[in-house]
């Protein structure tokens, strides 16, 4: 019975890590599709299901073939549930392309400050993906603080090229 308890705990730990600690079980997603059929979550679900099924089987009967049958069936059932949960969590993360900073091009913004030495550089306030950001900017022509601009290009993750809108 102790062996089944240890197997169940190890399986639960692997399943929990795969489902909730981002990236840990992804190495075991051999298909790479995010389906989770052969993933850390499904393997952990199978292991924990075998452990729990063994515990249930031992409380019902002393016949080892029945215990093995219950243990295997429980393992497959828990693995299926873990696979479905893994797949659902992967799909709910969204597409990384939708979250890329390069999508900021075309977004309107407001100039917060302009450099005294060079009126074509400064900072611009932009709202992107629901979050306010302040970024460095460059412009082809001088702009004033408070001017409305559009992001024309992303130069690096913190610097953009802007075009004035209020002309």
């Amino acid at each position: 019975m102790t062996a089944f308890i240890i197997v169940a705990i190890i399986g639960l730990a692997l399943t929990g890590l795969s489902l909730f600690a981002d990236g840990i079980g992804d190495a075991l997603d051999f298909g790479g599709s995010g389906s989770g059929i052969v993933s850390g979550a499904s393997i952990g679900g199978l292991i924990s299901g075998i452990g729990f099924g063994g515990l249930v089987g031992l409380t019902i009967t002393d016949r080892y073939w029945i215990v093995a049958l219950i243990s295997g069936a429980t393992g497959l059932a828990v693995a299926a549930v873990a696979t479905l949960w893994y797949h659902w969590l992967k799909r709910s993360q969204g597409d990384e392309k939708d979250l890329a900073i390069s999508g900021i091009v075309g977004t309107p913004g407001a100039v917060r400050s302009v450099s005294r030495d060079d009126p074509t550089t400064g900072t611009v306030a932009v709202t992107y993906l629901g979050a306010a950001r302040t970024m460095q900017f460059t412009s082809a022509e001088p702009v004033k603080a408070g001017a409305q601009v559009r992001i024309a290009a992303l130069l690096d993750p913190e610097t953009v090229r802007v075009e004035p809108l209020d002309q």
Side-chain angles (χ1 to χ4, degrees), residues 1-76:
M1 182 171 284
T2 304
F4 284 121
I5 292 172
I6 292 170
V7 168
I9 290 171
I10 291 171
L12 277 176
L14 181 59
T15 304
L17 283 172
S18 296
L19 290 174
F20 300 113
D22 191 30
I24 288 180
D26 292 349
L28 297 174
D29 184 12
F30 298 114
S33 65
S35 68
I37 293 174
V38 181
S39 65
S42 66
I43 293 169
L46 178 67
I47 293 169
S48 64
I50 288 171
F52 288 123
L55 289 171
V56 170
L58 284 175
T59 60
I60 295 173
T61 185
D62 290 339
R63 296 183 187 205
Y64 290 109
W65 69 271
I66 295 176
V67 172
L69 188 66
I70 292 171
S71 180
T74 306
L76 290 174

Side-chain angles (χ1 to χ4, degrees), residues 105-116:
V105 175
T107 304
V111 175
R112 294 190 69 163
S113 66
V114 178
S115 172
R116 252 184 286 177

Side-chain angles (χ1 to χ4, degrees), residues 103-112 123-135 137 146-153 160-166:
I104 201 166
V105 175
T107 304
V111 175
R112 294 190 69 163
T123 59
V124 62
V126 184
T127 301
Y128 182 63
L129 295 175
R133 294 186 62 128
T134 300
M135 303 178 79
F137 78 85
Q148 296 297 309
V149 294
R150 183 182 71 83
I151 307 300
V160 293
R161 181 175 300 122
V162 298
E163 299 172 341
L165 288 179
D166 55 349

Side-chain angles (χ1 to χ4, degrees), residues 69-163:
L69 188 66
I70 292 171
S71 180
T74 306
L76 290 174
V78 173
V81 170
T83 299
L84 292 173
W85 200 5
Y86 176 84
H87 181 67
W88 176 77
L89 286 172
K90 282 293 189 186
R91 289 189 60 196
S92 68
Q93 286 180 348
D95 189 7
E96 287 185 31
K97 292 177 185 174
D98 295 339
L99 303 175
I101 189 69
S102 60
I104 201 166
V105 175
T107 304
V111 175
R112 294 190 69 163
S113 66
V114 178
S115 172
R116 252 184 286 177
D117 301 330
D118 184 4
T120 63
T121 64
T123 59
V124 62
V126 184
T127 301
Y128 182 63
L129 295 175
R133 294 186 62 128
T134 300
M135 303 178 79
Q136 301 295 319
F137 78 85
T138 64
S139 177
E141 55 191 79
V143 292
K144 295 180 180 178
Q148 296 297 309
V149 294
R150 183 182 71 83
I151 307 300
L154 179 68
L155 304 178
D156 65 50
E158 295 299 321
T159 309
V160 293
R161 181 175 300 122
V162 298
E163 299 172 341

